[in-house]
């Protein structure tokens, strides 16, 4: 998916379309050709030329030559409409495998210029048309379907324009240096009973979350700010020293989403299952941790935590070299 | 500022695109209404109106059957409107009908392109009907609108209101076409001109006008009512005096008692061409050249006839023309568009020292009977005069001294004995009467003579340095053949009204005062109006001379002037120089020189700012706005927080709040940016 240039021409293509975050279009990397409409117009020009000859009519010649000049001059206009445009990949919205990954791009044109009808497309996937008329930059989103979890490297993007007359088409390619994440496709909901085995007896000590209120956790010396209710008054009466009683909550109440505890086998089904569990737990606003072979994410909650878990699932077993 | 507009794979014409298309169609079709059925205009309005209603959701697209029915109805109407079938008009009308109907079918962009390309063709087609400056300007406007439509139907700019879009596209189209102009001129000048490959039906709309191939008494005064232009002449050498400007058109030899014709039998232009080529062809050895040679270029207005008018005799003719034994010059094709010819004339040359029997017979022909009083008079006067020259002078003297009057409205002469009627009864007539009766009197005594029709004189345009000859300059005179002298020009009218040849028709008819009241001369009454008229005429002449008549001869002449001797090498050199100039100006225009300033100063300063911070380990992510990044960096680097925040704020003011005109504020803000940047470690 990465470099799909024809191998025999790769040495020509590669320096012109480097894999970068930002590409500015210039003489080196814009193609331009007359369009089909131009061919039709060329036919008309030939007919007009014959008409001019047969009727010896100077003004018919005039129209004929003017249209021919239009064909030529228009090439420059179409080319200029693409020239100087820089395209920056902003980021790719992570998605689940089988869904569409959305790439956000920023198009910027040089000052005091306007660009019209710029078409960005992944052939067969998605296309957007934008104008840069009142602003110098514009952001566009393009989606691309995904099949596999892991890294998503967007294929070459086509950028083209027919502006202004449609008599020529100028185009270029964008090989963008940006990688998106594709999470595993979540398994269908409640395929497996919700894991209740997570009140974990194998971790008696668990993890303590200080500042709790349920269980007595010990005594420490008083620090300013401690609540008077928690001062160990009886100890103070005996020794004259101010001590504070400390209470803790045990983390072992939390949910552990564990690779080892899954009923189904195979890497991908398990990852899908875990993905579903992460989503459900997040939706239920529960604290949860994730255990994968070789990776433990301690329990927590919130968007960032979910993203971290999903990323771990997405990249499980995937080489990091590409990232 | 997020855009997420998806375009469908099948591009359709939008509402504004449809309005563009309708405007373009109307503009293209409008001038055809003068020569073709005007109801075609209604068809396009109805068709486009229907389509617009469909686009607005108020009507449904017509069914195929209905469309076919309407089309058949239209074709039937075209044929019923009286156009001949194999003619340019019928072809144009059918094309226009299809063009008009296409509006209702114009759904996809492809349809719009068909309409626009057809429109381009129709603009050119209209130039077959008229090639005036006005038509040229109108055609240019139509081209701009069509090109605007080409721009407009393919993309919509949602940022603009429909009215602004129209204005914008119009501007773009005008700009592109203007940039095309130099290239177009170069192609126009350099493209070789070919002879027609095959003959095509010509517009039949132009009726024949000007001088006809026959002359009955009173025919020419009809022309004197017309101020239309006949032709314009510019002299390369000096100009002959006004009294010698006899522009010979055709020679009338056959008299049937009332009408003068070229030959005994009527001949259509093709037959006549054949006759002149084979039976009465031009013989150079019959001409003994002498005297002043006048070289000139004449451009003839389209008359629908073959006649050309030159000073007789011509020794050289260049252009689509042929010459005949009577020293006339005739166009090869009837004039449907202006024709340019170049000629050299030597009026003092002796024509036909020997008169061939065939020509002599023609020049002596008279009807076997009729006009007996005139024949009697001729015999008596000739007997009294003794020789030909004295006889001629006697006749001319008679016109001068007797009560003959020059008038535009002579009394009617009846069907027979018209010469008698004029010479003895009415004695009032126009040039055709004088010329006709003079030739009759010559032939009656056996002197070969013939009537020549053409134009006499012309109006000198000082500003343009050319002579404009109008229809009211039409004139008829006589030629007599004398041994040892050949053909001599005799103008009996000048005996009666010398002002006619010395000045013009207006002066000759001053006494009558009739012409002045009519519009023909009205603009000539006031000097200032006259000079404006002459200036306009001059413009038209330039248009005809340099644009419409730009043929291979003009091309060679022009290039010769430009290059000083035509050679392939020089031509190649010029072409190369032109290309280099074009390429250079193209590069400059495309803004390659502007590359250095591609990034505005504030952005460059901001980039340096982020580079400084990244050295400290604060990398800006691409999706961070400057304010987000500034806040984070300030938090992470408290020592410089103040400067970082100030820099970010100033940068944002520059980018988003500072308008272009406030240059002063801008420069002070930029100074502030620089100062803050320099303070950062």
């Amino acid at each position: 998916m990465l470099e799909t240039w024809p191998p025999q021409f790769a040495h020509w293509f590669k320096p012109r379309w480097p894999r970068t975050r930002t590409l500015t279009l210039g003489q080196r990397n814009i193609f331009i050709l007359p369009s089909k409409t131009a061919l039709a117009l060329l036919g008309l020009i030939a007919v007009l030329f014959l008409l001019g000859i047969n009727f010896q009519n100077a003004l018919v010649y005039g129209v004929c030559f003017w249209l021919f000049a239009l064909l030529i001059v228009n090439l420059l206009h179409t080319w200029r409409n693409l020239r100087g445009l820089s395209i920056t990949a902003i980021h790719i919205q992570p998605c689940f495998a089988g869904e569409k990954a959305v790439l956000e791009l920023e198009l910027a044109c040089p000052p005091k210029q306007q660009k019209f009808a710029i078409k960005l497309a992944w052939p067969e996937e998605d296309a957007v048309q934008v104008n840069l008329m009142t602003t110098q930059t514009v952001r566009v989103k393009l989606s691309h379907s995904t099949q596999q979890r892991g890294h998503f490297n967007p294929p070459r993007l086509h950028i083209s324009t027919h502006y202004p007359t449609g008599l020529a088409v100028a185009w270029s390619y964008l090989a963008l240096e940006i990688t998106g994440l594709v999470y595993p496709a979540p398994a269908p909901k409640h395929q497996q009973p919700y894991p209740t085995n997570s009140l974990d007896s194998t971790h008696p000590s668990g993890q303590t979350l200080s500042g709790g209120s349920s269980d007595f956790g010990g005594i420490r010396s008083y620090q300013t700010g401690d609540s008077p209710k928690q001062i160990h008054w009886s100890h103070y009466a005996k020794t004259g020293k101010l001590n504070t009683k400390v209470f803790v909550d045990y983390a072992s109440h939390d949910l552990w989403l564990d690779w080892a505890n899954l009923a189904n086998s195979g890497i991908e089904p398990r990852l899908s299952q875990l993905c579903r569990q992460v989503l459900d737990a997040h939706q239920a606003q529960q604290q949860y941790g994730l255990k994968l072979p070789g990776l433990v994410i301690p329990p927590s909650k919130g968007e960032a935590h979910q993203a971290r878990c999903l990323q771990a699932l997405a990249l499980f077993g995937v080489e990091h070299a590409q990232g | 500022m997020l855009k997420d507009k998806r375009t469908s794979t099948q591009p359709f014409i939008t509402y504004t695109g449809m309005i563009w298309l309708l405007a373009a169609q109307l503009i293209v079709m409008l001038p055809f209404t003068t020569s073709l059925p005007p109801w075609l205009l209604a068809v396009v309005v109805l068709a486009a109106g229907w389509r617009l209603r469909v686009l607005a959701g108020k009507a449904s697209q017509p069914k195929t059957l209905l469309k076919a029915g309407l089309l058949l109805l239209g074709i039937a109407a075209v044929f019923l409107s009286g156009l001949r079938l194999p003619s340019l008009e019928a072809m144009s009308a059918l094309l226009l009908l299809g063009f008009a109907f296409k509006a209702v079918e114009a759904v996809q962009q492809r349809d719009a392109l068909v309409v626009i390309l057809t429109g381009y063709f129709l603009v050119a087609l209209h130039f077959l009907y008229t090639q005036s400056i006005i038509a040229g300007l109108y055609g240019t406007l139509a081209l701009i609108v069509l090109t605007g439509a080409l721009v407009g139907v393919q993309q919509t700019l949602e940022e603009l209101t429909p009215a602004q879009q129209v204005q914008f596209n119009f501007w773009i189209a005008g700009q592109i076409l203007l940039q095309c102009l130099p290239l177009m001129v170069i192609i126009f000048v350099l493209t070789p001109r070919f002879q027609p490959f095959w003959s095509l039906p010509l517009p039949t709309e132009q009726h024949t006008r000007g001088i006809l191939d026959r002359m009955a008494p009173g025919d020419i005064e009809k022309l004197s009512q017309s101020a239309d232009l006949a032709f314009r002449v510019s002299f390369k050498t000096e100009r002959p005096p006004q009294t010698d400007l006899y522009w010979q058109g055709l020679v009338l030899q056959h008299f049937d008692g009332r009408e003068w014709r070229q030959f005994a039998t009527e001949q259509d232009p093709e037959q006549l061409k054949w006759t002149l080529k084979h039976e009465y062809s031009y013989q150079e050895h019959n001409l003994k050249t002498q005297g002043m040679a006048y070289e000139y270029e004449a451009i003839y207005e389209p008359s629908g006839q073959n006649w050309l008018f030159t000073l007789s005799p011509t020794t050289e003719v260049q252009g689509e023309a042929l010459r005949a034994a009577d020293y006339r010059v005739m166009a090869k094709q009837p004039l449907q568009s202006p024709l340019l010819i170049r000629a050299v004339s030597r009026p003092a040359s002796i024509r036909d020292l020997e008169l061939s029997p065939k020509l002599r017979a023609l020049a002596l022909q008279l009807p076997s009977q009729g006009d007996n009083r005139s024949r009697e008079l001729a015999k008596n006067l000739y007997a009294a005069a003794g020789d030909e020259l004295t006889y001629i002078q006697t006749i001319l003297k008679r016109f001068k001294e007797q009560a003959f009057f020059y008038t535009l409205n002579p009394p009617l002469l009846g069907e027979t004995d018209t010469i008698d009627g004029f010479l003895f009864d009415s004695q009032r007539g126009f040039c055709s009467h004088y010329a006709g009766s003079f030739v009759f009197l010559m032939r009656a005594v056996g002197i070969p003579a013939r009537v020549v029709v053409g134009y006499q004189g012309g109006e000198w345009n000082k500003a343009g340095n050319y002579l404009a000859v109008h229809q009211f300059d039409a004139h008829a005179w006589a030629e007599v053949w004398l041994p040892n002298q050949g053909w001599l020009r005799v103008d009996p009218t000048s005996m009666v009204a010398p002002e006619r040849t010395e000045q013009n028709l207006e002066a000759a008819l001053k006494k009558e005062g009739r012409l002045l009241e009519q519009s023909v001369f009205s603009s000539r009454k006031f000097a200032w109006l006259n000079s404006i008229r002459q200036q306009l005429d001059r413009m038209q002449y330039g248009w005809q001379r340099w644009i419409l008549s730009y043929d291979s001869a003009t091309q060679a002449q022009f290039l010769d002037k430009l290059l000083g001797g035509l050679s392939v090498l020089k031509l190649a050199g010029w072409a190369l120089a032109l290309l280099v100039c074009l390429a250079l100006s193209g590069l400059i225009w495309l803004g390659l020189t502007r590359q250095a300033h591609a990034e505005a100063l504030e952005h460059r300063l901001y980039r340096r700012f982020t580079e400084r911070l990244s050295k400290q380990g604060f990398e800006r992510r691409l999706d961070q706005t400057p304010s987000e990044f500034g806040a984070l960096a300030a938090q992470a680097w408290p020592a410089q927080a103040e400067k970082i925040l100030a820099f970010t704020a100033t940068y944002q003011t520059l980018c988003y709040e500072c308008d272009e005109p406030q240059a002063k504020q801008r420069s002070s803000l930029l100074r502030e940016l620089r100062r803050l940047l320099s303070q950062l470690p």
Side-chain angles (χ1 to χ4, degrees):
Chain A
M1 209 189 221
L2 256 178
E3 297 297 348
T4 47
W5 305 116
Q8 61 270 41
F9 300 120
H11 68 279
W12 188 85
F13 278 103
K14 271 183 182 169
R16 286 171 171 79
W17 288 273
R19 264 196 110 75
T20 53
R21 201 73 191 263
T22 300
L23 183 71
T24 303
L25 300 177
Q27 294 95 302
R28 276 166 66 81
N29 47 20
I30 298 176
F31 295 101
I32 186 155
L33 272 183
S35 63
K36 276 182 196 162
T37 322
L39 293 184
L41 184 63
L42 215 55
L44 176 71
I45 288 170
V47 170
L48 287 181
F49 192 61
L50 280 180
L51 200 69
I53 289 174
N54 274 316
F55 286 97
Q56 296 283 303
N57 190 307
L59 296 189
V60 173
Y61 275 127
V63 174
C64 170
F65 299 149
W66 211 341
L67 291 178
F68 187 72
L70 176 67
L71 269 185
I72 307 288
V73 171
N74 176 67
L75 281 177
L76 295 176
H77 275 267
T78 306
W79 186 78
R80 195 175 70 143
N81 193 41
L82 220 49
R83 192 195 150 264
L85 190 71
S86 45
I87 303 100
T88 308
I90 301 296
H91 82 270
I92 298 178
Q93 200 102 46
C95 69
F96 297 99
E99 290 184 350
K100 301 262 184 188
V102 176
L103 168 67
E104 194 176 339
L105 294 165
E106 186 175 84
L107 272 67
C109 76
K112 289 176 189 165
Q113 283 192 31
Q114 292 177 321
K115 306 276 176 204
F116 304 94
I118 305 277
K119 192 177 166 194
L120 290 149
W122 272 309
E124 328 256 300
E125 286 280 348
D126 193 12
V128 191
Q129 191 167 314
V130 286
N131 301 323
L132 280 105
M133 224 190 140
T134 47
T135 54
Q136 266 193 36
T137 60
V138 69
R139 288 198 174 188
V140 294
K141 283 179 173 177
L142 266 174
S143 64
H144 192 283
S145 59
T146 57
Q147 262 108 43
Q148 274 187 317
R149 70 174 178 93
H151 291 296
F152 169 66
N153 289 307
R156 254 189 350 243
L157 198 63
H158 283 233
I159 177 162
S160 62
T161 186
H162 279 82
Y163 192 82
T165 57
L167 293 174
V169 54
W171 77 98
S172 187
Y173 303 105
L174 295 172
L176 292 168
E177 181 64 57
I178 191 167
T179 304
L181 271 181
V182 181
Y183 302 145
K189 257 189 168 174
H190 301 302
Q191 186 196 31
Q192 214 184 3
Y194 204 67
T196 48
N197 57 344
S198 44
L199 261 186
D200 204 335
S201 51
T202 59
H203 290 78
S205 57
Q207 271 187 324
T208 55
L209 301 176
S210 52
S213 55
S214 45
D215 296 332
F216 179 65
I219 291 170
R220 60 166 169 79
S221 55
Y222 175 78
Q223 288 164 358
T224 38
D226 283 350
S227 160
K229 281 185 192 166
Q230 291 177 355
I231 292 173
H232 199 331
W233 292 111
S234 53
H235 193 254
Y236 176 68
K238 283 178 200 162
T239 62
K241 269 189 179 174
L242 264 179
N243 279 335
T244 310
K245 287 186 274 191
V246 184
F247 296 86
V248 294
D249 286 335
Y250 275 104
S252 53
H253 287 204
D254 298 327
L255 188 61
W256 278 100
L257 308 174
D258 194 341
W259 171 275
N261 286 344
L262 291 173
N264 41 11
S265 61
I267 299 174
E268 297 307 322
R270 282 181 185 220
L271 289 172
S272 290
Q273 195 58 45
L274 284 172
C275 179
R276 163 57 55 203
Q277 289 176 2
V278 167
L279 292 179
D280 289 349
H282 177 74
Q283 203 174 17
Q285 300 203 328
Q286 233 175 332
Q287 302 240 22
Y288 59 93
L290 179 67
K291 280 186 202 164
L292 292 173
L295 178 75
V296 174
I297 298 175
S300 179
K301 57 184 186 179
E303 292 287 340
H305 177 65
Q306 187 197 24
R308 197 177 153 208
C309 294
L310 289 174
Q311 180 177 6
L313 293 175
L315 299 180
F316 180 73
V318 173
E319 289 287 317
H320 265 261
Q322 284 179 1
Chain B
M1 249 195 288
L2 274 154
K3 282 271 147 113
D4 202 5
K5 186 197 144 208
R6 299 287 186 271
T7 48
S8 61
T9 45
Q10 278 281 42
F12 292 102
I13 309 173
T14 56
Y15 197 79
T16 42
M18 196 60 217
I19 291 176
W20 258 110
L21 211 56
L22 174 61
Q25 281 187 295
L26 280 180
I27 285 188
V28 167
M29 291 182 74
L30 204 60
F32 281 98
T33 47
T34 55
S35 46
L36 292 175
W39 54 261
L40 284 167
L41 211 59
V43 173
V44 71
V45 172
L46 287 178
W50 195 334
R51 181 66 200 146
L52 282 172
R53 278 177 66 82
V54 172
L55 278 177
K58 288 178 191 154
S60 63
Q61 193 69 13
K63 301 272 184 298
T64 318
L65 203 65
L66 180 62
K67 280 192 284 190
L70 283 174
L71 190 65
L72 282 178
L73 204 67
I75 293 173
V78 164
F79 287 129
L80 288 178
S81 53
L83 296 170
R84 282 189 300 120
L85 187 56
S87 71
L88 193 70
E89 280 73 32
M91 193 195 94
S92 312
L94 284 180
L95 194 62
L96 279 169
L97 182 73
F99 184 67
F101 265 128
K102 191 71 189 165
V104 81
E105 258 214 335
V107 178
Q108 293 177 11
Q109 275 185 12
R110 178 196 294 254
D111 302 317
L113 294 177
V114 169
V115 168
I116 290 166
L117 292 189
T118 316
Y120 281 136
F121 182 75
L122 287 172
V123 169
L125 196 65
H126 187 250
F127 288 140
L128 298 186
Y129 291 93
T130 168
Q131 295 195 72
S132 64
I133 297 185
I134 301 293
L137 289 176
Y138 188 86
T140 308
L141 175 76
L143 283 184
I144 294 176
V145 173
L146 279 168
T147 310
L150 194 60
V151 177
V153 295
Q154 303 199 65
Q155 53 260 316
T156 359
L157 308 170
E158 289 107 353
E159 287 89 342
L160 301 177
T161 62
Q164 281 173 321
Q165 272 187 45
V166 167
Q167 203 183 351
F168 186 76
N169 289 343
F170 197 75
W171 190 75
I172 290 282
Q175 194 192 13
I176 296 180
L177 285 180
L178 197 69
Q179 287 162 354
C180 290
L181 210 54
L183 188 57
M184 184 263 243
V185 170
I186 292 169
I187 302 175
F188 187 89
V189 168
L190 293 181
T191 306
R193 296 300 195 270
F194 301 98
Q195 292 300 309
F197 294 139
W198 63 83
S199 98
L200 287 168
L202 287 156
T204 46
E205 177 248 349
Q206 282 162 344
H207 302 294
T208 53
R209 53 183 192 173
I211 286 174
L212 299 172
D213 63 341
R214 57 184 63 196
M215 184 186 84
D219 268 0
I220 296 208
E221 55 257 44
K222 278 178 207 145
L223 282 177
S224 70
Q225 304 292 327
S226 161
D228 286 348
L229 189 80
F231 57 96
R232 299 187 181 92
V233 189
S234 59
F235 287 93
K236 300 226 154 158
T237 51
E238 69 175 86
R239 176 165 57 113
Q242 189 77 7
T243 46
D244 285 351
L245 291 172
Y246 281 86
W247 303 100
Q248 175 186 354
L250 50 159
V251 174
L252 306 179
Q253 315 246 31
H254 185 86
F255 184 58
D256 66 356
R258 183 174 177 275
E259 224 176 41
W260 290 88
R261 289 201 209 138
Q262 302 192 72
F263 295 99
T265 50
E266 275 209 51
Q267 297 186 332
D268 67 25
E270 280 306 308
Q271 286 173 323
L272 181 67
K273 220 160 76 181
W274 192 90
T275 313
L276 292 181
K277 241 183 195 166
H278 296 94
E279 290 187 37
Y280 302 99
S281 61
Y282 173 72
Q283 306 291 334
E284 201 167 350
H285 58 81
N286 285 340
L287 189 67
K288 195 179 154 215
T289 52
Q290 61 182 39
M292 181 74 194
Y294 297 104
E295 195 184 342
Y296 53 92
E297 283 177 356
I299 299 180
Y300 301 91
E301 290 290 305
S303 60
Q305 307 196 81
N306 295 54
W307 323 138
L308 300 180
F309 304 91
T310 51
L311 299 172
S312 187
T314 53
T315 53
E316 269 175 61
V317 175
Q318 266 178 41
E320 289 291 290
L322 49 91
R323 286 186 284 175
D326 52 16
Y327 301 98
R328 76 165 81 188
V329 178
M330 195 173 121
K332 287 181 184 162
Q333 302 294 331
L335 266 60
Q336 303 296 350
S337 56
L339 175 75
L340 169 83
I341 69 152
R342 298 172 183 79
V344 180
S345 293
R346 303 183 76 168
S349 304
I350 296 172
R351 295 173 286 170
D352 292 354
L353 271 177
E354 299 293 325
L355 194 61
S356 70
K358 206 152 67 179
L359 281 177
R360 180 183 287 271
L362 274 177
L364 287 172
Q365 176 273 339
L366 274 184
S368 52
Q369 54 187 6
D371 295 310
N372 294 327
R373 280 192 284 169
S374 305
R375 291 179 202 245
E376 195 70 28
L377 175 76
K379 267 175 203 140
N380 294 338
L381 288 177
Y382 186 58
D387 67 296
E388 282 114 338
L389 212 56
T390 325
Y391 172 64
I392 293 170
Q393 275 159 358
T394 315
I395 302 287
L396 291 178
K397 218 169 176 182
R398 196 181 156 83
F399 281 139
K400 195 173 179 177
E401 288 168 358
Q402 293 203 3
F404 281 94
F405 294 99
Y406 185 61
T407 175
L408 257 182
N409 38 348
L412 289 173
L413 290 173
E415 288 301 306
T416 51
D417 294 341
T418 51
I419 306 285
D420 279 1
F422 169 66
L423 284 178
F424 298 102
D425 304 331
S426 73
Q427 299 201 330
R428 296 164 173 272
F430 202 57
C431 54
S432 50
H433 297 90
Y434 291 99
S437 52
F438 179 81
V439 170
F440 185 91
L441 291 175
M442 292 299 121
R443 288 185 178 185
V445 295
I447 303 174
R450 58 195 185 189
V451 173
V452 181
V453 287
Y455 296 89
Q456 200 283 320
E459 179 192 20
W460 184 250
N461 189 316
K462 257 187 206 151
N465 230 17
Y466 64 88
L467 190 81
V469 181
H470 298 89
Q471 295 299 355
F472 56 72
D473 292 318
H475 194 50
W477 61 94
E479 277 179 352
V480 290
W481 186 85
L482 296 179
N484 302 323
Q485 296 187 51
W487 289 103
L488 290 179
R489 186 185 69 227
V490 182
D491 187 359
T493 313
S494 64
M495 295 295 119
V496 189
E499 305 88 353
R500 171 66 187 86
T501 44
E502 282 159 15
Q503 297 172 40
N504 55 26
L505 183 66
E506 188 190 359
L509 291 170
K510 221 162 208 165
K511 281 168 253 164
E512 210 164 64
R514 179 163 165 251
L515 266 180
L516 285 169
E517 287 154 24
Q518 295 182 350
S519 60
V520 175
F521 291 101
S522 59
S523 70
R524 289 164 170 81
K525 270 199 283 188
F526 305 103
W528 60 273
L529 213 59
N530 206 26
S531 94
I532 290 177
R533 190 184 55 78
Q534 285 211 347
Q535 285 294 341
L536 285 177
D537 193 69
R538 182 190 166 196
M539 247 167 65
Q540 263 165 3
Y541 178 63
W543 171 256
Q544 276 199 341
R545 176 69 193 81
W546 294 109
I547 295 174
L548 301 189
S549 309
Y550 190 83
D551 55 6
S552 46
T554 320
Q555 188 175 40
Q557 192 187 340
F558 178 74
L559 290 179
D560 191 50
K561 213 187 249 178
L562 196 72
L563 310 173
L566 197 59
S567 80
V568 180
L569 208 66
K570 271 187 188 171
L571 200 66
W574 272 95
L576 197 72
L578 258 170
L579 271 180
V580 169
C581 283
L582 271 180
L584 274 180
S585 54
L587 287 182
I588 292 166
W589 168 70
L590 284 166
L592 295 194
T593 50
R594 277 186 303 197
Q595 193 124 47
H597 303 288
E599 206 179 15
L601 183 60
E602 61 264 31
H603 301 309
R604 264 182 290 163
L605 288 172
Y606 188 74
R607 206 152 41 80
R608 265 157 62 192
F609 168 76
T610 53
E611 279 161 12
R612 284 245 178 122
L613 287 178
S614 79
K615 267 186 220 151
Q616 303 292 327
F618 314 120
E619 195 77 50
R620 181 188 166 210
R621 288 205 325 273
L622 279 160
D623 51 348
Q624 280 175 330
T625 65
S627 59
E628 281 168 7
F629 175 63
L632 280 175
Q635 223 172 9
W637 194 8
Q640 299 294 339
E642 209 175 301
K643 280 165 203 154
I644 291 170
L645 290 176
F647 189 93
T648 308
T650 316
Y651 173 64
Q652 283 188 318
T653 316
L654 260 171
C655 287
Y656 304 113
E657 285 162 38
C658 190
D659 290 333
E660 201 69 27
Q662 294 166 284
K664 236 181 210 171
Q665 190 197 348
R666 210 180 119 81
S667 60
S668 77
L669 284 171
L670 280 172
R671 265 201 306 281
E672 175 72 8
L673 271 190
R674 259 190 238 261
R675 192 182 61 78
L676 286 165
L677 191 65
S678 66
Q679 285 173 0
L680 275 176

